[in-house]
Amino acid sequence: MWKTVHMSQDGACPGDFMLQNVNCPRVKLGQEFPRVAFRGHIRSLPKLMEITHASHASHGNHKENSPFLNSSEAGKGGDYYDRNLALFEEELDIRPKVSSLLGKLVNYTNLTQGVKEHEEAENTDGSKKKVSKSPSMGTLMGVYLPCMQNIFGVILFLRLTWMVGMAGVLQSFLIVLLCCCCTMLTTISMSAIATNGVVPAGGSYFMISRSLGPEFGGAVGLCFYLGTTFAGAMYILGAIEILLTYIVPQAAIFHPSGAHDASSAMLNNMRVYGTVFLILMAVVVFVGVKYVNKFASLFLACVVISILSIYAGAIKSIFDPPEFPICMLGNRTLSRDQFDVCAKTVVKDNITVASKLWELFCHSTNLTTEHCDEYFLMNNVSEIAGIPGAASGILIDNLWSNYLEKGEILERAHQPSVDVAGQKNNLHLYVLSDITTSFMVLVGIFFPSVTGIMAGSNRSGDLKDAQKSIPVGTILAIVTTSLVYFSCVLLFGACIEGVVLRDKFGDAVNKNLVVGTLSWPSPWVIVIGSFFSTCGAGLQSLTGAPRLLQAIAKDNIIPFLWIFGHGKANGEPTWALLLTALIAELGILIASLDMVAPILSMFFLMCYLFVNLACAVQTLLRTPNWRPRFKYYHWALSFLGMSICLALMFISSWYYALVAMLIAGMIYKYIEYQGAEKEWGDGIRGLSLSAARYALLRLEEGPPHTKNWRPQLLVLLKLDEDLHVKYPRLLTFASQLKAGKGLTIIGSVIQGNFLETYGEAQAAEQTIKNMMEIEKVKGFCQVVVANKVREGIAHLIQSCGLGGMKHNTVVLGWPYGWRQSEDPRSWKTFIGTVRCTTAAHLALLVPKNVSFYPSNHERYNEGNIDVWWIVHDGGMLMLLPFLLKQHKVWRKCKMRIFTVAQMDDNSIQMKKDLATFLYQLRIEAEVEVVEMHNSDISAYTYERTLMMEQRSQMLRQMRLTKTEREREAQLVKDRHSVARLESLYSDEEDEGDPVPENIQMTWTKEKCDAEKRNRGSAVGSFRDLISIKPNQSNVRRMHTAVKLNEVIVNRSHDARLVLLNMPGPPKNTDGDENYMEFLEVLTEGLERVLLVRGGGREVITIYS
């Protein structure tokens, strides 16, 4: 019985019913309490409403959120938070309840993107929407029978007897075993992948791409597509061969003009009829796949009946072998379609006359002619049984191989004959081998007859329980087909004469299909059955291939295929079907079944190889998501399957294998460089992580040897107010220096609070990544948020990199405009960064005038890179120009090395020693020694020093009076209106005490007097600037800077780039501003300068 709870006027809960686990809040008098229905306890409170305080107390004209549900809310269903989840209510929009998640998963319908919907779309009017049915196909109908239909094909009926005759029963067993082992191991790997989660439509392509990544997925997907397309061409060629050879030979358009033109005429007939068949089949597929699906069962029935007729015929041959006599001339097999009687003479009206056979060999009916073929005269004509039967013991003769060269006559080994040469113009009367055969050729031709194992996984969307049906159905199909192939090999070897087996087109048995001669009740059972089954298989290929291409195109991993993702209104892939027909036409123009079969073998083997690789990689990596329901797999089995696939590729045709690999490699590289980036949680990414982890652990074993040292850069970038990179040429310089080798980290600092400026940091990171892509910098980006920029830079210098993969060199921009700025923070941040890098034992590069550095599109065809080696700093000055010259921008520049000699140095010996040192370093460069004479300090130097110190003193006084000026103006600062930091090398902190936001002052007489005294002292300090005397240490430093600058400008004013040692900052921080001035003087008049400071270790060696 339902109870209704009413609220009392004092807001207390009613006494006759207690709310369980709910605190009843007090509400205002007169406020309506919402009615909630209960059945003994609280059923559910789907959503907890927030309590807000109303600003006014009106009762009906405003909404006040309440912890209880009103009647309208209660009727909306489960859209409200559970009271027990109040702690999580603010995050439920991004972290849904478990019940909501499970509800969505249960309601997920996995509909295939393939044949089923297209068929439904054709049957359904646009106005009516059909309710989608849940997948209902079981193992038998959904996997087993489709796999059987796809595996059994044209090779079984047209080439298996010929393969047994050429390779013998034992080697045929080996061929079948190799191919079936390959597909069985691939099926085990495929079952593991297919049962590791839901596999939507797309089958093998989906499995490989989601397991190995878009590059492998796209490459193998296209290979599988090409294989399926060429399979369609092969089935059409097989159907035409059956039609023109065994059903209606008189339908041939081209006829041989001579005895040796039979093969070329047949190929031309295959091309014409094949093209017609292809067009008809493409039209059928275009009109509607429902017709293909309706006839699928009929085609499968044809295959099954044909195979059963073979077994029936084999059993019957034990007791009553069929009559198919073969005419032998000596031990040579004669083509039976050109004569009736197997004898040299016949008796007509008691008169012995020449037979048709005599006329063919002697070109005359005269029995005494001397122009007969010598072999014909010397050997007897005999007739043997073509189908001796299973009880005849012919199996012993057929155990061993009998490979033939092209044009060789089929001979019976134990038949008596006189070995003499016959006339060449009579060769057309014998049964000849049309191609050169070998074990490897037969492997390539037979392999397509075991493909088709993906049919079950391709229908995963239609299966009731795909994770159970795919492994069971596919493995049973492979076991069944393997047993059929093994038994057929044994039966053919035991029942059929060897020369008949080796007769590909049945010339010896009067143009009958060889396998048809064994069948019961009639050869026509297999002829008609195989014709319809090959036509059906061709239709299935032309139906499946366009959908596979459409799935690849819709994934957008190969941009130029986007057009093939579109089709008819019902999703039918029209453009993909057109391309498929064009590619299949290429296979039909080849016109030979034996030439097309190895091509599609390559593509299928490539696909199976990567299925095995995907399973092996996932198993070895032990990724957390790798939890297949199919447990009977192992990485060793996958590797064995992969090895067999690779071996079969090169066994069957090594040049086709190389071409297939080249095609797959080109597609892989195209997707890698041009295709859309996808993150599918693939195994290759996991493999990369494992390899990276292994390599990083190896790097931890110790610092790199000097021979392996290269600059691993941390580039500190400056961003403007709009988060744009202020000096992109820093990235250009980094790319030219690195040329894609080693580590490059691009770092930047955003000032502020991390919680508030996280979005800004993400935007800045994306901006930097875009600029890195433009400037072709291969590396990583790291943006940190810090309260002070100086601290952020220190954090980057300390923490960038991982393990042994850390930066060893910092690239720092020059603080332009530091002289004009009253704010000292820009150059103080710069000097602080220099000190940080020195303390961290890192090398430092400071490109000055970086805006004048060349872009990646410029080329210097002449010019010099000048190195001024003033002090030894680990060899960085030697190594950097060598690395720059590896890039095409600097490649043609010459390298010059200058060093400075003092008065007491032997400059001639220095030059010789330097040349020897460079020779041992294997660096080509001109060497010059510049002598610097001891000269008196010039008046210019003294004046520059004086001006520098006066400026420093003046700025110091101006900073001291800044607080007083602000106090006089009673400036109120709003910290939110202060513009963001313009330069990376300046902080927002003040050098002195912080100024309070609101200044409230009460002026007394004492304060007023003190203020006047302060103002007077400030004026006096400005007067003291006139009488200042420069510090002698600063004068000496300025003298060095001026003299060096004169020498450098004199020698290197036209150099493309000047590298020189960067002096370290003073230990006493009072001289920081003077240090900046010294650097300015040192580099005056030079267009492009790179200041270099070593990290305290040798980076270049003369030893190998």
Side-chain angles (χ1 to χ4, degrees):
M1 181 177 178
W2 292 96
K3 295 183 181 180
T4 304
V5 183
H6 295 283
M7 180 66 71
S8 59
Q9 287 190 352
D10 60 355
C13 291
D16 62 336
F17 192 87
M18 295 299 295
L19 294 172
Q20 298 175 5
N21 300 325
V22 178
N23 294 323
C24 187
R26 295 179 181 271
V27 296
K28 298 174 183 175
L29 185 65
Q31 181 181 344
E32 182 182 358
F33 183 78
R35 295 174 179 267
V36 185
F38 299 91
R39 189 185 291 272
H41 62 280
I42 296 178
R43 300 285 291 178
S44 66
L45 291 173
K47 189 171 182 180
L48 188 67
M49 305 302 292
E50 293 180 4
I51 301 174
T52 59
H53 298 285
S55 58
H56 55 284
S58 60
H59 302 297
N61 60 355
H62 77 285
K63 293 176 71 175
E64 182 177 14
N65 291 331
S66 164
F68 300 101
L69 300 177
N70 59 35
S71 57
S72 64
E73 290 167 342
K76 290 181 182 177
D79 293 334
Y80 296 94
Y81 301 143
D82 198 308
R83 179 174 294 281
N84 296 325
L85 298 179
L87 278 174
F88 305 96
E89 63 184 6
E90 292 183 358
E91 295 183 312
L92 283 178
D93 54 340
I94 56 172
R95 293 182 172 89
K97 291 190 298 181
V98 174
S99 58
S100 305
L101 177 67
L102 293 176
K104 289 178 183 176
L105 289 178
V106 169
N107 292 330
Y108 169 70
T109 56
N110 178 25
L111 288 177
T112 173
Q113 300 170 354
V115 175
K116 200 171 180 183
E117 300 98 307
H118 299 312
E119 184 178 328
E120 289 175 358
E122 288 171 359
N123 293 331
T124 308
D125 294 330
S127 58
K128 295 180 181 179
K129 286 191 176 178
K130 215 172 182 181
V131 179
S132 61
K133 295 180 180 178
S134 60
S136 59
M137 295 183 77
T139 305
L140 181 69
M141 295 301 295
V143 181
Y144 180 74
L145 292 180
C147 283
M148 291 271 288
Q149 184 181 357
N150 278 266
I151 293 172
F152 285 135
V154 65
I155 302 295
L156 170 64
F157 302 116
L158 293 185
R159 294 291 183 269
L160 189 59
T161 53
W162 173 73
M163 184 187 85
V164 174
M166 291 293 181
V169 173
L170 295 180
Q171 288 192 25
S172 296
F173 268 134
L174 182 59
I175 292 172
V176 175
L177 181 66
L178 269 176
C179 296
C180 291
C181 281
C182 173
T183 53
M184 178 60 82
L185 292 171
T186 304
T187 301
I188 292 172
S189 300
M190 184 195 73
S191 300
I193 298 172
T195 58
N196 187 50
V198 179
V199 179
S204 58
Y205 163 69
F206 184 91
M207 289 190 296
I208 296 169
S209 61
R210 269 57 176 181
S211 297
L212 291 179
E215 293 89 359
F216 277 113
V220 180
L222 276 184
C223 283
F224 192 54
Y225 162 73
L226 291 172
T228 309
T229 305
F230 275 103
M234 184 190 75
Y235 289 130
I236 292 172
L237 289 174
I240 302 302
E241 184 177 311
I242 295 170
L243 181 71
L244 294 181
T245 309
Y246 308 113
I247 300 178
V248 278
Q250 59 271 23
I253 299 171
F254 298 94
H255 299 280
S257 57
H260 305 289
D261 295 336
S263 61
S264 60
M266 183 63 181
L267 292 180
N268 289 329
N269 285 321
M270 300 273 278
R271 291 183 181 109
V272 173
Y273 276 98
T275 304
V276 173
F277 264 55
L278 176 63
I279 293 170
L280 289 174
M281 288 184 177
V283 168
V284 170
V285 173
F286 177 77
V287 168
V289 292
K290 58 185 176 183
Y291 302 111
V292 179
N293 292 336
K294 283 179 180 176
F295 286 108
S297 303
L298 174 64
F299 297 143
L300 178 61
C302 291
V303 174
V304 173
I305 292 171
S306 300
I307 292 172
L308 291 177
S309 74
I310 294 174
Y311 287 114
I315 294 169
K316 178 179 174 293
S317 72
I318 299 174
F319 315 104
D320 182 19
E323 290 291 331
F324 283 101
I326 304 168
C327 190
M328 306 291 296
L329 177 61
N331 63 352
R332 297 180 181 180
T333 311
L334 293 173
S335 181
R336 192 62 185 261
D337 62 329
Q338 301 184 49
F339 57 92
D340 298 323
V341 181
C342 183
K344 291 184 179 181
T345 58
V346 292
V347 178
K348 281 186 180 181
D349 301 327
N350 295 326
I351 301 172
T352 303
V353 295
S355 67
K356 178 69 174 173
L357 195 60
W358 184 282
E359 291 182 27
L360 290 171
F361 275 98
C362 300
H363 309 289
S364 170
T365 57
N366 187 358
L367 293 177
T368 59
T369 181
E370 297 178 358
H371 301 291
C372 277
D373 188 298
E374 187 179 1
Y375 187 85
F376 178 73
L377 292 176
M378 299 291 292
N379 287 279
N380 295 324
V381 174
S382 59
E383 207 170 43
I384 61 171
I387 313 292
S392 63
I394 197 71
L395 178 64
I396 304 299
D397 296 333
N398 291 332
L399 281 179
W400 313 109
S401 63
N402 196 346
Y403 297 116
L404 300 175
E405 296 292 324
K406 182 178 180 180
E408 197 171 337
I409 300 171
L410 269 62
E411 297 178 347
R412 191 168 187 259
H414 306 296
Q415 192 79 4
S417 68
V418 179
D419 191 13
V420 293
Q423 295 177 6
K424 286 187 177 181
N425 58 355
N426 289 328
L427 285 176
H428 67 282
L429 300 173
Y430 301 107
V431 180
L432 305 175
S433 172
D434 63 331
I435 62 169
T436 300
T437 53
S438 66
F439 180 81
M440 295 185 287
V441 170
L442 295 181
V443 168
I445 292 174
F446 176 74
F447 188 80
S449 62
V450 295
T451 60
I453 60 173
M454 299 291 184
S457 62
N458 289 347
R459 295 165 181 255
S460 57
D462 300 327
L463 299 173
K464 187 187 299 180
D465 185 0
Q467 299 191 358
K468 177 185 175 185
S469 297
I470 289 176
V472 174
T474 310
I475 289 173
L476 280 178
I478 289 179
V479 170
T480 306
T481 52
S482 300
L483 289 175
V484 168
Y485 285 134
F486 281 120
S487 60
C488 283
V489 167
L490 189 63
L491 290 176
F492 293 159
C495 298
I496 306 176
E497 172 62 48
V499 288
V500 179
L501 287 174
R502 289 188 288 278
D503 182 6
K504 184 186 290 185
F505 300 110
D507 293 323
V509 286
N510 204 15
K511 287 290 183 180
N512 273 301
L513 181 61
V514 173
V515 69
T517 60
L518 181 63
S519 65
W520 179 87
S522 167
W524 286 102
V525 175
I526 283 194
V527 171
I528 301 299
S530 60
F531 176 74
F532 281 113
S533 68
T534 48
C535 287
L539 279 172
Q540 293 282 1
S541 298
L542 290 180
T543 304
R547 279 163 184 76
L548 183 59
L549 182 62
Q550 188 181 39
I552 299 170
K554 283 186 175 178
D555 265 342
N556 198 29
I557 56 171
I558 305 176
F560 69 81
L561 291 180
W562 67 270
I563 185 68
F564 300 109
H566 305 290
K568 290 198 293 188
N570 61 356
E572 193 76 20
T574 311
W575 292 106
L577 177 62
L578 183 63
L579 180 68
T580 303
L582 290 174
I583 296 174
E585 178 63 20
L586 294 178
I588 284 170
L589 290 177
I590 295 173
S592 171
L593 188 70
D594 303 318
M595 295 289 287
V596 174
I599 296 175
L600 67 103
S601 293
M602 289 305 118
F603 290 127
F604 278 120
L605 281 167
M606 181 86 66
C607 177
Y608 296 166
L609 184 148
F610 281 106
V611 169
N612 285 300
L613 177 63
C615 181
V617 166
Q618 298 276 31
T619 307
L620 289 175
L621 287 178
R622 295 194 179 102
T623 49
N625 192 51
W626 180 246
R627 302 184 298 274
R629 289 191 178 278
F630 181 78
K631 300 297 182 185
Y632 306 102
Y633 69 94
H634 193 269
W635 62 267
L637 292 177
S638 299
F639 268 115
L640 180 62
M642 192 170 64
S643 305
I644 292 175
C645 288
L646 195 63
L648 286 175
M649 286 176 70
F650 282 93
I651 284 173
S652 56
S653 178
W654 63 268
Y655 44 89
Y656 279 164
L658 292 178
V659 170
M661 288 180 168
L662 181 65
I663 291 172
M666 288 170 63
I667 299 167
Y668 178 96
K669 298 308 287 184
Y670 176 80
I671 297 172
E672 186 179 17
Y673 287 113
Q674 298 292 333
E677 292 184 5
K678 300 282 183 183
E679 173 50 60
W680 286 333
D682 50 90
I684 292 297
R685 189 174 178 84
L687 191 63
S688 302
L689 287 170
S690 295
R693 172 183 168 275
Y694 174 77
L696 285 170
L697 289 173
R698 287 288 305 272
L699 287 174
E700 281 288 281
E701 294 174 4
H705 191 272
T706 305
K707 289 185 288 186
N708 295 328
W709 195 96
R710 66 166 60 245
Q712 317 287 8
L713 301 183
L714 168 61
V715 183
L716 296 175
L717 273 192
K718 181 189 300 185
L719 302 178
D720 60 17
E721 293 177 358
D722 298 325
L723 298 181
H724 295 145
V725 178
K726 202 163 186 182
Y727 299 110
R729 284 296 163 87
L730 272 177
L731 293 174
T732 311
F733 171 71
S735 72
Q736 292 169 5
L737 182 63
K738 298 295 291 178
K741 305 292 192 300
L743 175 71
T744 305
I745 303 173
I746 310 299
S748 188
V749 179
I750 297 218
Q751 187 172 0
N753 185 294
F754 177 72
L755 295 177
E756 296 172 359
T757 56
Y758 175 72
E760 196 175 345
Q762 292 290 99
E765 188 170 330
Q766 192 57 47
T767 301
I768 293 173
K769 284 181 178 176
N770 292 340
M771 188 56 68
M772 289 170 67
E773 193 172 340
I774 292 170
E775 296 295 340
K776 297 181 180 177
V777 177
K778 292 182 180 178
F780 310 98
C781 172
Q782 189 162 352
V783 177
V784 299
V785 178
N787 290 328
K788 299 177 182 178
V789 175
R790 207 177 303 175
E791 289 180 2
I793 292 175
H795 293 329
L796 282 173
I797 290 173
Q798 291 176 74
S799 61
C800 273
L802 180 64
M805 198 67 177
K806 292 180 71 71
H807 57 279
N808 55 28
T809 305
V810 177
V811 179
L812 184 63
W814 179 260
Y816 302 101
W818 69 272
R819 278 174 169 166
Q820 290 75 27
S821 174
E822 295 182 7
D823 190 355
R825 291 172 296 187
S826 62
W827 54 264
K828 285 205 170 186
T829 303
F830 174 81
I831 296 175
T833 307
V834 175
R835 285 197 172 101
C836 280
T837 55
T838 305
H841 300 290
L842 301 175
L844 178 66
L845 306 179
V846 182
K848 200 162 178 284
N849 302 327
V850 74
S851 299
F852 296 111
Y853 276 50
S855 70
N856 285 324
H857 304 294
E858 296 180 47
R859 302 284 186 280
Y860 286 150
N861 294 321
E862 56 182 2
N864 301 309
I865 299 176
D866 286 357
V867 177
W868 285 84
W869 191 20
I870 300 163
V871 293
H872 181 58
D873 214 359
M876 280 284 287
L877 285 168
M878 310 293 174
L879 187 61
L880 291 174
F882 171 76
L883 294 175
L884 276 175
K885 277 170 62 66
Q886 306 304 308
H887 197 272
K888 54 191 174 185
V889 172
W890 304 93
R891 189 165 292 150
K892 294 186 179 179
C893 291
K894 294 181 180 178
M895 184 174 163
R896 297 192 301 183
I897 297 182
F898 299 90
T899 189
V900 175
Q902 303 298 326
M903 284 297 293
D904 52 349
D905 293 328
N906 185 343
S907 59
I908 298 174
Q909 187 61 38
M910 275 182 70
K911 186 170 182 178
K912 286 182 180 178
D913 293 344
L914 182 56
T916 305
F917 180 58
L918 288 176
Y919 177 77
Q920 291 172 337
L921 287 176
R922 291 91 63 201
I923 292 177
E924 295 181 7
E926 296 179 21
V927 177
E928 288 194 39
V929 176
V930 178
E931 295 182 354
M932 290 187 66
H933 303 288
N934 288 334
S935 58
D936 294 333
I937 295 171
S938 63
Y940 170 73
T941 303
Y942 193 86
E943 186 179 351
R944 285 290 298 260
T945 311
L946 182 62
M947 288 172 61
M948 175 185 73
E949 293 195 357
Q950 284 178 342
R951 178 182 177 281
S952 299
Q953 187 67 20
M954 186 184 302
L955 288 172
R956 198 173 292 117
Q957 292 296 333
M958 290 171 68
R959 285 196 295 274
L960 286 174
T961 59
K962 182 179 179 183
T963 308
E964 292 148 10
R965 291 201 309 274
E966 289 173 348
R967 190 179 293 132
E968 280 181 9
Q970 294 197 5
L971 178 65
V972 178
K973 289 187 179 180
D974 182 5
R975 68 178 61 174
H976 297 293
S977 65
V978 176
R980 206 186 66 80
L981 176 67
E982 181 179 353
S983 168
L984 179 66
Y985 310 113
S986 64
D987 284 349
E988 287 296 332
E989 78 264 27
D990 287 327
E991 296 299 316
D993 295 331
V995 179
E997 292 185 8
N998 296 313
I999 304 172
Q1000 301 291 338
M1001 296 188 64
T1002 304
W1003 288 92
T1004 60
K1005 188 173 185 300
E1006 291 79 7
K1007 283 187 177 180
C1008 189
D1009 293 339
E1011 190 67 24
K1012 288 178 180 177
R1013 283 196 299 274
N1014 287 338
R1015 200 172 296 176
S1017 63
V1019 174
S1021 62
F1022 278 116
R1023 289 172 182 163
D1024 292 340
L1025 291 174
I1026 302 170
S1027 57
I1028 196 170
K1029 289 187 178 180
N1031 183 292
Q1032 287 302 312
S1033 174
N1034 287 342
V1035 172
R1036 282 188 290 106
R1037 287 190 173 90
M1038 182 63 77
H1039 175 69
T1040 304
V1042 169
K1043 292 293 290 181
L1044 274 175
N1045 179 256
E1046 287 177 2
V1047 173
I1048 294 171
V1049 170
N1050 184 36
R1051 298 295 185 94
S1052 302
H1053 60 88
D1054 59 346
R1056 298 294 188 186
L1057 180 65
V1058 176
L1059 290 85
L1060 72 153
N1061 291 109
M1062 180 179 180
K1067 293 180 180 178
N1068 185 1
T1069 56
D1070 293 340
D1072 284 357
E1073 194 169 4
N1074 299 336
Y1075 170 70
M1076 294 297 296
E1077 188 68 33
F1078 296 146
L1079 292 181
E1080 286 282 12
V1081 172
L1082 184 63
T1083 57
E1084 260 181 0
L1086 298 172
E1087 188 178 16
R1088 283 178 288 270
V1089 184
L1090 181 62
L1091 297 170
V1092 182
R1093 185 162 172 76
R1097 62 163 291 172
E1098 291 293 329
V1099 300
I1100 198 165
T1101 178
I1102 63 174
Y1103 300 105
S1104 61

